[in-house]
Amino acid sequence: MGWRVWGLACGVLLAATASLAAQSDLSCERCHGELEFLRQHAEQLSEARRLLVPTSMLEGTAHDMLRCGACHTGYDRFPHTPEAYSSSCADCHEEAVEVWAEGGHGGIDGEEAVACTECHGVHAVASARALGSGAEMAAMVAECASCHETQRLEASAPHAVEAACYACHSPHEARQPEVAGSGLSPAEQPETCGACHQEVAASWREDAHGRAVAAATEVGEETPTCTACHGSHPVAGQAERQRLEVDRCAGCHEHYAESFSDSYHGQATTLGSTETATCADCHGAHSILGADEPESMVSEARLVETCGTCHPDANKSFVGFQPHADHHDREGNPLLYWAYTFMTGLLVGTMAFFGLHTLLWLIRLGIDRARGVSDHGYPDPTQVPLDSAQRGEGGFVWRFRLYHRVTHAAVVISFFLLVFTGMPLRFSCTPWSGYLMDLLGGVEMAGLLHRIGGAITFGYFGAHLGFLVRGIVRAEDRRRILWGRESIVPHPQDVRDLFAQFRWFLGLGPRPRFGRFSYMEKFDYFAVFWGVAIIGGTGLMLWMPEFFSGFLPGWMFNVATIVHADEAMLATLFIFTIHFFNVHLRPEKFPLDAVMFTGRATVEYMEEEHPEISDRIREHEGEAPSRRQQQDTPAPPPSRRQTLIATIFGFLALGLGLMLIGMMTWASLC
């Protein structure tokens, strides 16, 4: 009977206590649940709103089982004394407060302490479980960003949704990464990041980067940690991985970064390609090992496998290509050094010689103009027709057949296509290269267009060889085609003409009299043969490396890369400067010589430019013009339509060429 009495008494006591506690919260809500009442006793509306705390505000929060008095101890009756606000989080969260006191928010190092309520709020305190996801996590992240505005993540950034700030920075410690023991210090990052990325962290600990971090002796020592490669605010996402990857690898591997930036892979990556291999594609991302370690992706045993991910037909010869070869290293790469030296010497020597040739020519013409002297028979040497091939008052003769003009048009179109698609790669360091590549449709589309330009080049070259063979076989006088003053083949007289031209430049002799083709025109013609053989041949190797590696050693592709780029540079510089001057920009031809576009020129033009064929022209004097395009025979004047088309095409080519020279000059500054 006694136990029953005691049980009944305890039950009544507990019920009474609960009733009193409930009555206590209801008593609080009588005031703090009525905004109008609070407005009467608060100085401002904002203060009244702050004091508005209905009991429903605690429902579903971490404190929903607590009563007001659990935190607000010491209050007596209304109006409250200041002791009513003398609650302490440490009473319940002693361990968390101790960690907070030693962390970045605890006021250490003279910094202002951040109170618990500034992060967690006052009444609607979310539980630790709720903070792991959803709206509560987003709200807490927003609270962090309210003070750390510069560290705010965009909604699309990695970790912006998946991980809260405190997942990486620890909820209460929040110490700077450079502080020993911080969760983001180099020594602790594998554990912090590995909490979510277990497999990655495990492989990273065993690779070259992980071993380097483990061997670091000082906290501030620069080491390849997770954030050193991936960044922190924000962490690099997959979409931007390639762009940032190379830059961050370059921070430690400067020498390899330079050689990579000179390669196709580096140039294409710089211009935004996402299909091109970068550092991680070859070396791995979190299992990076030295090339001398058998398990390394770039070890001799695995290199064919690694390259084969992008080049399925890669073989042992193919992987002989040196992706980080330095052509400036004479001892380490003698073949590449001498290939680069030869091509550079060829470029500089050719441009220097013909640059001097052009400069002396301009000076001589300037002197003649100042003296009022003209070697070309103009009534007024300052007046030249828009198409200088129409100067003079005589009749027209055929200079080039339709076949030659069509071939020349194919040369022009394919050359511009190759230059416009190749220059952005060659000068990927310039701002304009990215804009031009975007205009072309991206790196992959530019590559397709470049190959189309190459196919056109091989097409007209093959057709021209067939035309030459056919002409030689069917010719009645083969000597006239293969030798002599009317042949395109170089002749000893061309050397004498060259010396005579320099003597004329210096005022030491008369101007030489050229045959059907001057030494400059012959140089231009055979430069195409050289260019197709050198640029086309090396371009074909780089186009189909797997095929050519079947019978060529890998280092040949390194040589091909150097030769292809430098010879293309020489061709571009020469065409748009020396050739343009010789054909269009000389004062007696400026602004345009359209003879290659219309196929015809006046007799006076021919007598001035190619005086040694005047006798053949005179043989046809008095004949009626013929539309049959036989050289040196009378021709009808070009129609207005033909002249207009030739002018538009010519000026467009001139303008684009000069613009490209300006872009290349700009590129020389980077």
Side-chain angles (χ1 to χ4, degrees):
M1 187 68 180
W3 287 105
R4 292 181 179 179
V5 172
W6 275 107
L8 179 61
C10 289
V12 170
L13 179 62
L14 289 173
T17 302
S19 176
L20 288 173
Q23 182 66 29
S24 175
D25 280 353
L26 290 174
S27 299
C28 294
E29 192 170 21
R30 288 177 182 176
C31 296
H32 290 279
E34 295 293 337
L35 181 61
E36 290 300 324
F37 172 79
L38 295 172
R39 288 183 61 183
Q40 296 175 19
H41 296 83
E43 295 182 0
Q44 295 180 351
L45 178 60
S46 59
E47 177 67 11
R49 292 185 183 280
R50 187 182 69 82
L51 294 172
L52 181 65
V53 188
T55 55
S56 59
M57 183 178 291
L58 299 179
E59 293 178 2
T61 69
H63 292 166
D64 62 352
M65 298 300 293
L66 298 179
R67 303 307 173 193
C68 304
C71 296
H72 298 282
T73 59
Y75 69 89
D76 187 6
R77 59 171 53 186
F78 181 83
H80 300 310
T81 61
E83 288 75 16
Y85 308 100
S86 61
S87 59
S88 173
C89 299
D91 294 342
C92 296
H93 305 284
E94 182 178 357
E95 183 179 350
V97 171
E98 288 179 0
V99 175
W100 165 83
E102 297 297 326
H105 289 166
I108 60 174
D109 299 328
E111 297 291 336
E112 183 178 352
V114 179
C116 306
T117 55
E118 292 187 47
C119 296
H120 293 280
V122 180
H123 294 98
V125 178
S127 66
R129 177 178 298 179
L131 288 174
S133 62
E136 288 79 3
M137 186 184 81
M140 180 61 80
V141 170
E143 286 294 333
C144 296
S146 65
C147 292
H148 305 281
E149 180 64 34
T150 58
Q151 305 301 318
R152 184 187 295 271
L153 296 178
E154 298 291 336
S156 59
H159 291 178
V161 177
E162 295 87 351
C165 307
Y166 41 85
C168 300
H169 294 277
S170 77
H172 297 102
E173 185 182 41
R175 307 176 80 171
Q176 295 293 332
E178 61 270 14
V179 177
S182 167
L184 291 179
S185 65
E188 299 298 328
Q189 275 194 34
E191 298 300 326
T192 301
C193 300
C196 296
H197 307 283
Q198 295 93 340
E199 293 184 8
V200 169
S203 62
W204 176 87
R205 288 187 181 93
E206 303 299 324
D207 79 355
H209 288 168
R211 296 197 294 257
V213 171
T217 57
E218 298 181 10
V219 175
E221 185 176 341
E222 187 173 338
T223 51
T225 59
C226 307
T227 55
C229 297
H230 294 277
S232 55
H233 288 272
V235 171
Q238 185 66 24
E240 57 185 352
R241 177 185 65 82
Q242 287 185 300
R243 180 176 59 83
L244 294 176
E245 175 186 301
V246 176
D247 293 338
R248 286 171 177 165
C249 293
C252 297
H253 306 283
E254 295 181 7
H255 177 71
Y256 291 112
E258 290 178 4
S259 58
F260 176 78
S261 65
D262 289 336
S263 69
Y264 170 78
H265 289 164
Q267 293 165 344
T269 300
T270 300
L271 295 175
S273 173
T274 58
E275 303 295 326
T276 312
T278 54
C279 312
D281 294 303
C282 299
H283 296 275
H286 300 103
S287 56
I288 301 172
L289 301 172
D292 56 345
E293 299 181 65
E295 294 302 317
S296 170
M297 291 179 62
V298 293
S299 67
E300 185 176 353
R302 295 191 60 191
L303 201 51
V304 172
E305 173 192 348
T306 299
C307 296
T309 58
C310 296
H311 304 275
D313 296 325
N315 52 43
K316 190 172 182 179
S317 178
F318 179 91
V319 301
F321 172 78
Q322 303 173 48
H324 292 291
D326 183 1
H327 54 255
H328 298 291
D329 184 2
R330 180 175 177 179
E331 298 298 326
N333 299 284
L335 290 173
L336 303 188
Y337 172 83
W338 287 113
Y340 175 77
T341 301
F342 172 77
M343 293 306 303
T344 302
L346 180 65
L347 188 154
V348 173
T350 301
M351 294 305 300
F353 176 81
F354 282 101
L356 176 63
H357 185 279
T358 299
L359 179 62
L360 292 176
W361 202 336
L362 277 172
I363 293 173
R364 176 56 196 261
L365 293 174
I367 292 173
D368 286 351
R369 177 161 294 193
R371 293 176 177 176
V373 176
S374 173
D375 290 341
H376 304 287
Y378 302 147
D380 183 351
T382 63
Q383 294 182 358
V384 182
L386 183 64
D387 175 7
S388 62
Q390 298 186 27
R391 62 181 182 246
E393 299 179 355
F396 285 83
V397 294
W398 289 110
R399 168 73 170 154
F400 294 110
R401 298 168 61 177
L402 178 61
Y403 162 78
H404 297 116
R405 289 142 52 196
V406 171
T407 302
H408 182 267
V411 172
V412 173
I413 293 171
S414 63
F415 188 73
F416 272 108
L417 187 57
L418 291 168
V419 172
F420 269 109
T421 53
M423 276 184 59
L425 286 174
R426 179 65 177 81
F427 302 114
S428 58
C429 60
T430 60
W432 56 258
S433 61
Y435 293 112
L436 180 54
M437 191 60 79
D438 290 341
L439 184 65
L440 293 169
V443 175
E444 284 70 35
M445 178 56 69
L448 175 62
L449 295 174
H450 197 76
R451 291 172 175 83
I452 291 174
I456 295 173
T457 299
F458 286 122
Y460 75 67
F461 186 74
H464 186 62
L465 289 179
F467 174 83
L468 292 177
V469 171
R470 176 176 176 273
I472 293 172
V473 170
R474 300 178 63 176
E476 296 179 359
D477 185 2
R478 293 191 178 92
R479 188 178 187 282
R480 178 169 166 244
I481 296 177
L482 299 175
W483 196 248
R485 295 294 282 168
E486 294 192 16
S487 173
I488 193 69
V489 178
H491 188 275
Q493 182 60 39
D494 295 315
V495 179
R496 292 190 284 270
D497 287 344
L498 174 63
F499 281 102
Q501 185 84 337
F502 272 93
R503 289 176 59 83
W504 174 70
F505 290 157
L506 301 174
L508 302 177
R511 186 174 183 177
R513 294 170 56 83
F514 298 119
R516 181 172 301 283
F517 303 104
S518 67
Y519 64 85
M520 296 168 291
E521 292 168 326
K522 292 182 180 183
F523 185 90
D524 287 348
Y525 177 79
F526 282 99
V528 175
F529 279 80
W530 167 268
V532 171
I534 301 301
I535 305 178
T538 55
L540 205 58
M541 287 177 58
L542 300 176
W543 183 354
M544 297 180 286
E546 295 95 334
F547 170 76
F548 285 96
S549 65
F551 51 88
L552 292 177
W555 58 264
M556 283 290 291
F557 298 98
N558 290 98
V559 174
T561 301
I562 294 172
V563 172
H564 188 77
D566 285 8
E567 182 61 26
M569 173 78 78
L570 173 57
T572 303
L573 286 173
F574 187 90
I575 292 296
F576 296 148
T577 56
I578 308 303
H579 177 72
F580 273 13
F581 172 80
N582 291 340
V583 177
H584 302 293
L585 303 180
R586 282 160 39 195
E588 68 269 32
K589 287 194 170 189
F590 185 82
L592 180 71
D593 183 344
V595 65
M596 182 54 82
F597 305 130
T598 66
R600 65 205 89 189
T602 62
V603 174
E604 286 81 352
Y605 171 95
M606 296 298 295
E607 288 179 345
E608 294 157 8
E609 298 290 332
H610 305 279
E612 287 197 2
I613 64 170
S614 297
D615 292 340
R616 181 177 296 276
I617 292 175
R618 291 192 184 95
E619 291 178 3
H620 301 282
E621 284 184 344
E623 295 181 5
S626 171
R627 294 193 176 274
R628 294 188 62 192
Q629 300 177 12
Q630 296 181 355
Q631 288 179 318
D632 308 331
T633 60
S639 66
R640 293 186 61 184
R641 179 171 174 271
Q642 289 174 321
T643 301
L644 179 61
I645 294 174
T647 301
I648 293 174
F649 189 82
F651 277 125
L652 180 62
L654 272 172
L656 290 175
L658 296 177
M659 180 188 72
L660 289 169
I661 287 296
M663 294 165 65
M664 293 174 69
T665 303
W666 182 359
S668 66
L669 302 177
C670 75

